Amino acid sequence: MSPYQKGVLLTLAGVAVLSLDALLIRLISADHWTLLFWRGLLLSLCIGTACLCRRHRYRPSRRLFGLGLGSALFYAICTITFVISIRLTSVANTLIILSAAPLIGALLSRFVLRERVSGRTWLAIGLCISGLALVFSGSQHEGHLLGDLTALLCAASMAAKFVVERAASPANMTPALVPAGLLVSLFALFQTPTLTMPAEDMLWMALLGLGVVPLAYALITQGPRYLPAAEVGLLMMLEMILGPLWVWMVLAEAPGEQAWMGGLVVLLALLLQRLPAPRRLSTPLLAK
């Protein structure tokens, strides 16, 4: 398996697990700050324990230490804005707007990392923008605009996280999830009215904080080690398809008409990006 194929496989596996995130947030009735506190704390405990159990000990340099803190900060912002957006707008709107991450990631990679972005990726990004325009147009009439803008901030922080991890490649940035979760918990601690959760929420919270989130981001964090940040962001758009599907099947929350149309446009962009590149025909040299 080539490094590129490995990066695609790890990212897709992480996105498949992460697609359950929005459904579990919907199933938890506790205040969103209470949810964020336990989500961050459980993530840190889970990833921290896994890192301590590994035979290989992480010894980051000063440069990797700084990049790790940057990754942790952007992840914390991404997590907080994601949960708030899920509570303020529909799941479909939040996940479709997160598809803006490749655009922001490509721009950051181009100017920060000097990475070349292919013409096909730019075309896919252009289609993403048109899909987002459809989503925002529907939210103006449904009162979800604040939630949509929060989702856009989430997309920007997600893209910045991928770019930072790409800059640290080939280093493993999974340990950065430990301070990231602690940052989320610390911020939520000063906002939450209570740390107590209803008994019926504990099972969903344990599944979210000890299973879905740690496993998903441990896999996704490996993606930028092998792939450009823009392509990792494009693969993340699969969550836009799977996430609303689980919510629709379990809670009967159907996306609006504009969200459906915008999602189809984004899906088209994803398929365009994954098509194999045409091979160039070579002309054999004439023998003398």
Side-chain angles (χ1 to χ4, degrees), residues 2-26:
S2 68
Y4 181 86
Q5 291 172 330
K6 187 176 181 180
V8 170
L9 182 61
L10 288 170
T11 305
L12 287 178
V15 172
V17 176
L18 191 62
S19 65
L20 296 169
D21 192 3
L23 173 61
L24 292 173
I25 292 174
R26 275 279 197 260

mmCIF file with all atom_site columns, all heavy atoms in Angstrom, residues 2-26:
data_model
loop_
_atom_site.group_PDB
_atom_site.id
_atom_site.type_symbol
_atom_site.label_atom_id
_atom_site.label_alt_id
_atom_site.label_comp_id
_atom_site.label_asym_id
_atom_site.label_entity_id
_atom_site.label_seq_id
_atom_site.pdbx_PDB_ins_code
_atom_site.Cartn_x
_atom_site.Cartn_y
_atom_site.Cartn_z
_atom_site.occupancy
_atom_site.B_iso_or_equiv
_atom_site.pdbx_formal_charge
_atom_site.auth_seq_id
_atom_site.auth_comp_id
_atom_site.auth_asym_id
_atom_site.auth_atom_id
_atom_site.pdbx_PDB_model_num
ATOM 1   N N   . SER A 1 2  ? 0.633   2.152  -0.940 1.00 0.00 ? 2  SER A N   1
ATOM 2   C CA  . SER A 1 2  ? 1.421   3.375  -1.028 1.00 0.00 ? 2  SER A CA  1
ATOM 3   C C   . SER A 1 2  ? 1.051   4.320  0.111  1.00 0.00 ? 2  SER A C   1
ATOM 4   O O   . SER A 1 2  ? -0.028  4.197  0.707  1.00 0.00 ? 2  SER A O   1
ATOM 5   C CB  . SER A 1 2  ? 1.170   4.055  -2.375 1.00 0.00 ? 2  SER A CB  1
ATOM 6   O OG  . SER A 1 2  ? -0.158  4.549  -2.441 1.00 0.00 ? 2  SER A OG  1
ATOM 7   N N   . PRO A 1 3  ? 1.942   5.291  0.441  1.00 0.00 ? 3  PRO A N   1
ATOM 8   C CA  . PRO A 1 3  ? 1.591   6.274  1.479  1.00 0.00 ? 3  PRO A CA  1
ATOM 9   C C   . PRO A 1 3  ? 0.295   7.013  1.169  1.00 0.00 ? 3  PRO A C   1
ATOM 10  O O   . PRO A 1 3  ? -0.497  7.293  2.070  1.00 0.00 ? 3  PRO A O   1
ATOM 11  C CB  . PRO A 1 3  ? 2.806   7.208  1.487  1.00 0.00 ? 3  PRO A CB  1
ATOM 12  C CG  . PRO A 1 3  ? 3.931   6.371  1.001  1.00 0.00 ? 3  PRO A CG  1
ATOM 13  C CD  . PRO A 1 3  ? 3.336   5.443  -0.020 1.00 0.00 ? 3  PRO A CD  1
ATOM 14  N N   . TYR A 1 4  ? 0.054   7.326  -0.119 1.00 0.00 ? 4  TYR A N   1
ATOM 15  C CA  . TYR A 1 4  ? -1.172  8.032  -0.494 1.00 0.00 ? 4  TYR A CA  1
ATOM 16  C C   . TYR A 1 4  ? -2.395  7.174  -0.191 1.00 0.00 ? 4  TYR A C   1
ATOM 17  O O   . TYR A 1 4  ? -3.374  7.643  0.395  1.00 0.00 ? 4  TYR A O   1
ATOM 18  C CB  . TYR A 1 4  ? -1.127  8.395  -1.971 1.00 0.00 ? 4  TYR A CB  1
ATOM 19  C CG  . TYR A 1 4  ? -2.341  9.150  -2.452 1.00 0.00 ? 4  TYR A CG  1
ATOM 20  C CD1 . TYR A 1 4  ? -2.414  10.536 -2.333 1.00 0.00 ? 4  TYR A CD1 1
ATOM 21  C CD2 . TYR A 1 4  ? -3.432  8.485  -3.016 1.00 0.00 ? 4  TYR A CD2 1
ATOM 22  C CE1 . TYR A 1 4  ? -3.531  11.233 -2.758 1.00 0.00 ? 4  TYR A CE1 1
ATOM 23  C CE2 . TYR A 1 4  ? -4.550  9.176  -3.439 1.00 0.00 ? 4  TYR A CE2 1
ATOM 24  C CZ  . TYR A 1 4  ? -4.592  10.553 -3.313 1.00 0.00 ? 4  TYR A CZ  1
ATOM 25  O OH  . TYR A 1 4  ? -5.709  11.234 -3.738 1.00 0.00 ? 4  TYR A OH  1
ATOM 26  N N   . GLN A 1 5  ? -2.346  5.889  -0.576 1.00 0.00 ? 5  GLN A N   1
ATOM 27  C CA  . GLN A 1 5  ? -3.473  4.994  -0.316 1.00 0.00 ? 5  GLN A CA  1
ATOM 28  C C   . GLN A 1 5  ? -3.698  4.813  1.184  1.00 0.00 ? 5  GLN A C   1
ATOM 29  O O   . GLN A 1 5  ? -4.831  4.736  1.650  1.00 0.00 ? 5  GLN A O   1
ATOM 30  C CB  . GLN A 1 5  ? -3.220  3.646  -0.984 1.00 0.00 ? 5  GLN A CB  1
ATOM 31  C CG  . GLN A 1 5  ? -3.254  3.688  -2.506 1.00 0.00 ? 5  GLN A CG  1
ATOM 32  C CD  . GLN A 1 5  ? -2.817  2.373  -3.125 1.00 0.00 ? 5  GLN A CD  1
ATOM 33  O OE1 . GLN A 1 5  ? -1.999  1.646  -2.559 1.00 0.00 ? 5  GLN A OE1 1
ATOM 34  N NE2 . GLN A 1 5  ? -3.353  2.062  -4.286 1.00 0.00 ? 5  GLN A NE2 1
ATOM 35  N N   . LYS A 1 6  ? -2.608  4.743  1.933  1.00 0.00 ? 6  LYS A N   1
ATOM 36  C CA  . LYS A 1 6  ? -2.718  4.612  3.384  1.00 0.00 ? 6  LYS A CA  1
ATOM 37  C C   . LYS A 1 6  ? -3.397  5.835  3.985  1.00 0.00 ? 6  LYS A C   1
ATOM 38  O O   . LYS A 1 6  ? -4.258  5.714  4.865  1.00 0.00 ? 6  LYS A O   1
ATOM 39  C CB  . LYS A 1 6  ? -1.325  4.423  3.984  1.00 0.00 ? 6  LYS A CB  1
ATOM 40  C CG  . LYS A 1 6  ? -1.334  4.113  5.473  1.00 0.00 ? 6  LYS A CG  1
ATOM 41  C CD  . LYS A 1 6  ? 0.068   3.832  5.975  1.00 0.00 ? 6  LYS A CD  1
ATOM 42  C CE  . LYS A 1 6  ? 0.069   3.492  7.456  1.00 0.00 ? 6  LYS A CE  1
ATOM 43  N NZ  . LYS A 1 6  ? 1.443   3.206  7.955  1.00 0.00 ? 6  LYS A NZ  1
ATOM 44  N N   . GLY A 1 7  ? -3.018  7.030  3.511  1.00 0.00 ? 7  GLY A N   1
ATOM 45  C CA  . GLY A 1 7  ? -3.647  8.249  4.003  1.00 0.00 ? 7  GLY A CA  1
ATOM 46  C C   . GLY A 1 7  ? -5.128  8.295  3.697  1.00 0.00 ? 7  GLY A C   1
ATOM 47  O O   . GLY A 1 7  ? -5.937  8.693  4.542  1.00 0.00 ? 7  GLY A O   1
ATOM 48  N N   . VAL A 1 8  ? -5.512  7.875  2.488  1.00 0.00 ? 8  VAL A N   1
ATOM 49  C CA  . VAL A 1 8  ? -6.929  7.862  2.108  1.00 0.00 ? 8  VAL A CA  1
ATOM 50  C C   . VAL A 1 8  ? -7.706  6.877  2.975  1.00 0.00 ? 8  VAL A C   1
ATOM 51  O O   . VAL A 1 8  ? -8.799  7.185  3.474  1.00 0.00 ? 8  VAL A O   1
ATOM 52  C CB  . VAL A 1 8  ? -7.081  7.503  0.614  1.00 0.00 ? 8  VAL A CB  1
ATOM 53  C CG1 . VAL A 1 8  ? -8.547  7.252  0.269  1.00 0.00 ? 8  VAL A CG1 1
ATOM 54  C CG2 . VAL A 1 8  ? -6.525  8.618  -0.267 1.00 0.00 ? 8  VAL A CG2 1
ATOM 55  N N   . LEU A 1 9  ? -7.142  5.679  3.186  1.00 0.00 ? 9  LEU A N   1
ATOM 56  C CA  . LEU A 1 9  ? -7.832  4.652  3.970  1.00 0.00 ? 9  LEU A CA  1
ATOM 57  C C   . LEU A 1 9  ? -8.016  5.081  5.420  1.00 0.00 ? 9  LEU A C   1
ATOM 58  O O   . LEU A 1 9  ? -9.104  4.938  5.997  1.00 0.00 ? 9  LEU A O   1
ATOM 59  C CB  . LEU A 1 9  ? -7.042  3.343  3.907  1.00 0.00 ? 9  LEU A CB  1
ATOM 60  C CG  . LEU A 1 9  ? -7.662  2.146  4.635  1.00 0.00 ? 9  LEU A CG  1
ATOM 61  C CD1 . LEU A 1 9  ? -9.025  1.810  4.047  1.00 0.00 ? 9  LEU A CD1 1
ATOM 62  C CD2 . LEU A 1 9  ? -6.739  0.938  4.552  1.00 0.00 ? 9  LEU A CD2 1
ATOM 63  N N   . LEU A 1 10 ? -6.972  5.644  6.027  1.00 0.00 ? 10 LEU A N   1
ATOM 64  C CA  . LEU A 1 10 ? -7.069  6.088  7.419  1.00 0.00 ? 10 LEU A CA  1
ATOM 65  C C   . LEU A 1 10 ? -8.096  7.208  7.580  1.00 0.00 ? 10 LEU A C   1
ATOM 66  O O   . LEU A 1 10 ? -8.902  7.206  8.516  1.00 0.00 ? 10 LEU A O   1
ATOM 67  C CB  . LEU A 1 10 ? -5.699  6.563  7.908  1.00 0.00 ? 10 LEU A CB  1
ATOM 68  C CG  . LEU A 1 10 ? -4.650  5.476  8.157  1.00 0.00 ? 10 LEU A CG  1
ATOM 69  C CD1 . LEU A 1 10 ? -3.285  6.103  8.390  1.00 0.00 ? 10 LEU A CD1 1
ATOM 70  C CD2 . LEU A 1 10 ? -5.042  4.608  9.342  1.00 0.00 ? 10 LEU A CD2 1
ATOM 71  N N   . THR A 1 11 ? -8.077  8.160  6.636  1.00 0.00 ? 11 THR A N   1
ATOM 72  C CA  . THR A 1 11 ? -9.013  9.282  6.722  1.00 0.00 ? 11 THR A CA  1
ATOM 73  C C   . THR A 1 11 ? -10.447 8.816  6.539  1.00 0.00 ? 11 THR A C   1
ATOM 74  O O   . THR A 1 11 ? -11.352 9.239  7.274  1.00 0.00 ? 11 THR A O   1
ATOM 75  C CB  . THR A 1 11 ? -8.658  10.348 5.675  1.00 0.00 ? 11 THR A CB  1
ATOM 76  O OG1 . THR A 1 11 ? -7.294  10.742 5.831  1.00 0.00 ? 11 THR A OG1 1
ATOM 77  C CG2 . THR A 1 11 ? -9.550  11.570 5.835  1.00 0.00 ? 11 THR A CG2 1
ATOM 78  N N   . LEU A 1 12 ? -10.681 7.936  5.558  1.00 0.00 ? 12 LEU A N   1
ATOM 79  C CA  . LEU A 1 12 ? -12.043 7.443  5.314  1.00 0.00 ? 12 LEU A CA  1
ATOM 80  C C   . LEU A 1 12 ? -12.568 6.655  6.514  1.00 0.00 ? 12 LEU A C   1
ATOM 81  O O   . LEU A 1 12 ? -13.742 6.788  6.877  1.00 0.00 ? 12 LEU A O   1
ATOM 82  C CB  . LEU A 1 12 ? -12.066 6.570  4.059  1.00 0.00 ? 12 LEU A CB  1
ATOM 83  C CG  . LEU A 1 12 ? -11.939 7.293  2.721  1.00 0.00 ? 12 LEU A CG  1
ATOM 84  C CD1 . LEU A 1 12 ? -11.932 6.288  1.578  1.00 0.00 ? 12 LEU A CD1 1
ATOM 85  C CD2 . LEU A 1 12 ? -13.074 8.286  2.530  1.00 0.00 ? 12 LEU A CD2 1
ATOM 86  N N   . ALA A 1 13 ? -11.706 5.845  7.131  1.00 0.00 ? 13 ALA A N   1
ATOM 87  C CA  . ALA A 1 13 ? -12.139 5.088  8.313  1.00 0.00 ? 13 ALA A CA  1
ATOM 88  C C   . ALA A 1 13 ? -12.504 6.035  9.449  1.00 0.00 ? 13 ALA A C   1
ATOM 89  O O   . ALA A 1 13 ? -13.517 5.840  10.148 1.00 0.00 ? 13 ALA A O   1
ATOM 90  C CB  . ALA A 1 13 ? -11.031 4.130  8.747  1.00 0.00 ? 13 ALA A CB  1
ATOM 91  N N   . GLY A 1 14 ? -11.693 7.075  9.645  1.00 0.00 ? 14 GLY A N   1
ATOM 92  C CA  . GLY A 1 14 ? -11.990 8.048  10.692 1.00 0.00 ? 14 GLY A CA  1
ATOM 93  C C   . GLY A 1 14 ? -13.281 8.800  10.437 1.00 0.00 ? 14 GLY A C   1
ATOM 94  O O   . GLY A 1 14 ? -14.079 9.030  11.363 1.00 0.00 ? 14 GLY A O   1
ATOM 95  N N   . VAL A 1 15 ? -13.531 9.176  9.186  1.00 0.00 ? 15 VAL A N   1
ATOM 96  C CA  . VAL A 1 15 ? -14.750 9.904  8.847  1.00 0.00 ? 15 VAL A CA  1
ATOM 97  C C   . VAL A 1 15 ? -15.977 9.018  9.048  1.00 0.00 ? 15 VAL A C   1
ATOM 98  O O   . VAL A 1 15 ? -17.025 9.494  9.510  1.00 0.00 ? 15 VAL A O   1
ATOM 99  C CB  . VAL A 1 15 ? -14.680 10.418 7.396  1.00 0.00 ? 15 VAL A CB  1
ATOM 100 C CG1 . VAL A 1 15 ? -16.014 11.014 6.972  1.00 0.00 ? 15 VAL A CG1 1
ATOM 101 C CG2 . VAL A 1 15 ? -13.577 11.460 7.265  1.00 0.00 ? 15 VAL A CG2 1
ATOM 102 N N   . ALA A 1 16 ? -15.870 7.737  8.704  1.00 0.00 ? 16 ALA A N   1
ATOM 103 C CA  . ALA A 1 16 ? -17.001 6.818  8.891  1.00 0.00 ? 16 ALA A CA  1
ATOM 104 C C   . ALA A 1 16 ? -17.395 6.736  10.365 1.00 0.00 ? 16 ALA A C   1
ATOM 105 O O   . ALA A 1 16 ? -18.586 6.738  10.701 1.00 0.00 ? 16 ALA A O   1
ATOM 106 C CB  . ALA A 1 16 ? -16.636 5.439  8.349  1.00 0.00 ? 16 ALA A CB  1
ATOM 107 N N   . VAL A 1 17 ? -16.403 6.673  11.254 1.00 0.00 ? 17 VAL A N   1
ATOM 108 C CA  . VAL A 1 17 ? -16.702 6.647  12.694 1.00 0.00 ? 17 VAL A CA  1
ATOM 109 C C   . VAL A 1 17 ? -17.260 7.988  13.150 1.00 0.00 ? 17 VAL A C   1
ATOM 110 O O   . VAL A 1 17 ? -18.229 8.061  13.914 1.00 0.00 ? 17 VAL A O   1
ATOM 111 C CB  . VAL A 1 17 ? -15.431 6.284  13.494 1.00 0.00 ? 17 VAL A CB  1
ATOM 112 C CG1 . VAL A 1 17 ? -15.707 6.349  14.993 1.00 0.00 ? 17 VAL A CG1 1
ATOM 113 C CG2 . VAL A 1 17 ? -14.934 4.896  13.103 1.00 0.00 ? 17 VAL A CG2 1
ATOM 114 N N   . LEU A 1 18 ? -16.656 9.071  12.663 1.00 0.00 ? 18 LEU A N   1
ATOM 115 C CA  . LEU A 1 18 ? -17.055 10.416 13.095 1.00 0.00 ? 18 LEU A CA  1
ATOM 116 C C   . LEU A 1 18 ? -18.469 10.772 12.650 1.00 0.00 ? 18 LEU A C   1
ATOM 117 O O   . LEU A 1 18 ? -19.097 11.661 13.230 1.00 0.00 ? 18 LEU A O   1
ATOM 118 C CB  . LEU A 1 18 ? -16.064 11.443 12.544 1.00 0.00 ? 18 LEU A CB  1
ATOM 119 C CG  . LEU A 1 18 ? -16.169 12.868 13.089 1.00 0.00 ? 18 LEU A CG  1
ATOM 120 C CD1 . LEU A 1 18 ? -15.900 12.891 14.586 1.00 0.00 ? 18 LEU A CD1 1
ATOM 121 C CD2 . LEU A 1 18 ? -15.205 13.795 12.357 1.00 0.00 ? 18 LEU A CD2 1
ATOM 122 N N   . SER A 1 19 ? -18.991 10.082 11.634 1.00 0.00 ? 19 SER A N   1
ATOM 123 C CA  . SER A 1 19 ? -20.327 10.408 11.140 1.00 0.00 ? 19 SER A CA  1
ATOM 124 C C   . SER A 1 19 ? -21.410 10.173 12.193 1.00 0.00 ? 19 SER A C   1
ATOM 125 O O   . SER A 1 19 ? -22.524 10.693 12.074 1.00 0.00 ? 19 SER A O   1
ATOM 126 C CB  . SER A 1 19 ? -20.640 9.579  9.878  1.00 0.00 ? 19 SER A CB  1
ATOM 127 O OG  . SER A 1 19 ? -20.711 8.196  10.183 1.00 0.00 ? 19 SER A OG  1
ATOM 128 N N   . LEU A 1 20 ? -21.100 9.409  13.240 1.00 0.00 ? 20 LEU A N   1
ATOM 129 C CA  . LEU A 1 20 ? -22.053 9.182  14.332 1.00 0.00 ? 20 LEU A CA  1
ATOM 130 C C   . LEU A 1 20 ? -22.054 10.319 15.347 1.00 0.00 ? 20 LEU A C   1
ATOM 131 O O   . LEU A 1 20 ? -22.911 10.369 16.236 1.00 0.00 ? 20 LEU A O   1
ATOM 132 C CB  . LEU A 1 20 ? -21.724 7.868  15.046 1.00 0.00 ? 20 LEU A CB  1
ATOM 133 C CG  . LEU A 1 20 ? -21.869 6.585  14.211 1.00 0.00 ? 20 LEU A CG  1
ATOM 134 C CD1 . LEU A 1 20 ? -21.264 5.411  14.966 1.00 0.00 ? 20 LEU A CD1 1
ATOM 135 C CD2 . LEU A 1 20 ? -23.333 6.322  13.885 1.00 0.00 ? 20 LEU A CD2 1
ATOM 136 N N   . ASP A 1 21 ? -21.101 11.239 15.228 1.00 0.00 ? 21 ASP A N   1
ATOM 137 C CA  . ASP A 1 21 ? -20.933 12.315 16.203 1.00 0.00 ? 21 ASP A CA  1
ATOM 138 C C   . ASP A 1 21 ? -22.193 13.163 16.335 1.00 0.00 ? 21 ASP A C   1
ATOM 139 O O   . ASP A 1 21 ? -22.700 13.395 17.435 1.00 0.00 ? 21 ASP A O   1
ATOM 140 C CB  . ASP A 1 21 ? -19.742 13.185 15.772 1.00 0.00 ? 21 ASP A CB  1
ATOM 141 C CG  . ASP A 1 21 ? -19.310 14.158 16.858 1.00 0.00 ? 21 ASP A CG  1
ATOM 142 O OD1 . ASP A 1 21 ? -19.893 14.129 17.953 1.00 0.00 ? 21 ASP A OD1 1
ATOM 143 O OD2 . ASP A 1 21 ? -18.382 14.949 16.605 1.00 0.00 ? 21 ASP A OD2 1
ATOM 144 N N   . ALA A 1 22 ? -22.701 13.654 15.212 1.00 0.00 ? 22 ALA A N   1
ATOM 145 C CA  . ALA A 1 22 ? -23.860 14.549 15.251 1.00 0.00 ? 22 ALA A CA  1
ATOM 146 C C   . ALA A 1 22 ? -25.084 13.865 15.846 1.00 0.00 ? 22 ALA A C   1
ATOM 147 O O   . ALA A 1 22 ? -25.850 14.479 16.601 1.00 0.00 ? 22 ALA A O   1
ATOM 148 C CB  . ALA A 1 22 ? -24.167 15.059 13.843 1.00 0.00 ? 22 ALA A CB  1
ATOM 149 N N   . LEU A 1 23 ? -25.306 12.603 15.514 1.00 0.00 ? 23 LEU A N   1
ATOM 150 C CA  . LEU A 1 23 ? -26.445 11.869 16.064 1.00 0.00 ? 23 LEU A CA  1
ATOM 151 C C   . LEU A 1 23 ? -26.354 11.773 17.584 1.00 0.00 ? 23 LEU A C   1
ATOM 152 O O   . LEU A 1 23 ? -27.344 12.000 18.297 1.00 0.00 ? 23 LEU A O   1
ATOM 153 C CB  . LEU A 1 23 ? -26.512 10.468 15.449 1.00 0.00 ? 23 LEU A CB  1
ATOM 154 C CG  . LEU A 1 23 ? -27.562 9.530  16.061 1.00 0.00 ? 23 LEU A CG  1
ATOM 155 C CD1 . LEU A 1 23 ? -28.963 10.093 15.902 1.00 0.00 ? 23 LEU A CD1 1
ATOM 156 C CD2 . LEU A 1 23 ? -27.448 8.142  15.443 1.00 0.00 ? 23 LEU A CD2 1
ATOM 157 N N   . LEU A 1 24 ? -25.180 11.445 18.111 1.00 0.00 ? 24 LEU A N   1
ATOM 158 C CA  . LEU A 1 24 ? -25.016 11.325 19.560 1.00 0.00 ? 24 LEU A CA  1
ATOM 159 C C   . LEU A 1 24 ? -25.202 12.667 20.255 1.00 0.00 ? 24 LEU A C   1
ATOM 160 O O   . LEU A 1 24 ? -25.764 12.727 21.356 1.00 0.00 ? 24 LEU A O   1
ATOM 161 C CB  . LEU A 1 24 ? -23.639 10.740 19.868 1.00 0.00 ? 24 LEU A CB  1
ATOM 162 C CG  . LEU A 1 24 ? -23.446 9.275  19.458 1.00 0.00 ? 24 LEU A CG  1
ATOM 163 C CD1 . LEU A 1 24 ? -21.995 8.847  19.646 1.00 0.00 ? 24 LEU A CD1 1
ATOM 164 C CD2 . LEU A 1 24 ? -24.377 8.371  20.254 1.00 0.00 ? 24 LEU A CD2 1
ATOM 165 N N   . ILE A 1 25 ? -24.740 13.754 19.627 1.00 0.00 ? 25 ILE A N   1
ATOM 166 C CA  . ILE A 1 25 ? -24.964 15.084 20.206 1.00 0.00 ? 25 ILE A CA  1
ATOM 167 C C   . ILE A 1 25 ? -26.450 15.386 20.280 1.00 0.00 ? 25 ILE A C   1
ATOM 168 O O   . ILE A 1 25 ? -26.938 15.947 21.269 1.00 0.00 ? 25 ILE A O   1
ATOM 169 C CB  . ILE A 1 25 ? -24.232 16.150 19.367 1.00 0.00 ? 25 ILE A CB  1
ATOM 170 C CG1 . ILE A 1 25 ? -22.717 15.991 19.510 1.00 0.00 ? 25 ILE A CG1 1
ATOM 171 C CG2 . ILE A 1 25 ? -24.644 17.559 19.792 1.00 0.00 ? 25 ILE A CG2 1
ATOM 172 C CD1 . ILE A 1 25 ? -21.922 16.914 18.611 1.00 0.00 ? 25 ILE A CD1 1
ATOM 173 N N   . ARG A 1 26 ? -27.198 14.996 19.250 1.00 0.00 ? 26 ARG A N   1
ATOM 174 C CA  . ARG A 1 26 ? -28.643 15.199 19.257 1.00 0.00 ? 26 ARG A CA  1
ATOM 175 C C   . ARG A 1 26 ? -29.321 14.358 20.344 1.00 0.00 ? 26 ARG A C   1
ATOM 176 O O   . ARG A 1 26 ? -30.304 14.783 20.959 1.00 0.00 ? 26 ARG A O   1
ATOM 177 C CB  . ARG A 1 26 ? -29.208 14.834 17.889 1.00 0.00 ? 26 ARG A CB  1
ATOM 178 C CG  . ARG A 1 26 ? -29.140 15.950 16.863 1.00 0.00 ? 26 ARG A CG  1
ATOM 179 C CD  . ARG A 1 26 ? -30.300 16.912 17.074 1.00 0.00 ? 26 ARG A CD  1
ATOM 180 N NE  . ARG A 1 26 ? -30.494 17.735 15.903 1.00 0.00 ? 26 ARG A NE  1
ATOM 181 C CZ  . ARG A 1 26 ? -30.076 18.967 15.780 1.00 0.00 ? 26 ARG A CZ  1
ATOM 182 N NH1 . ARG A 1 26 ? -29.408 19.534 16.774 1.00 0.00 ? 26 ARG A NH1 1
ATOM 183 N NH2 . ARG A 1 26 ? -30.313 19.652 14.688 1.00 0.00 ? 26 ARG A NH2 1
#
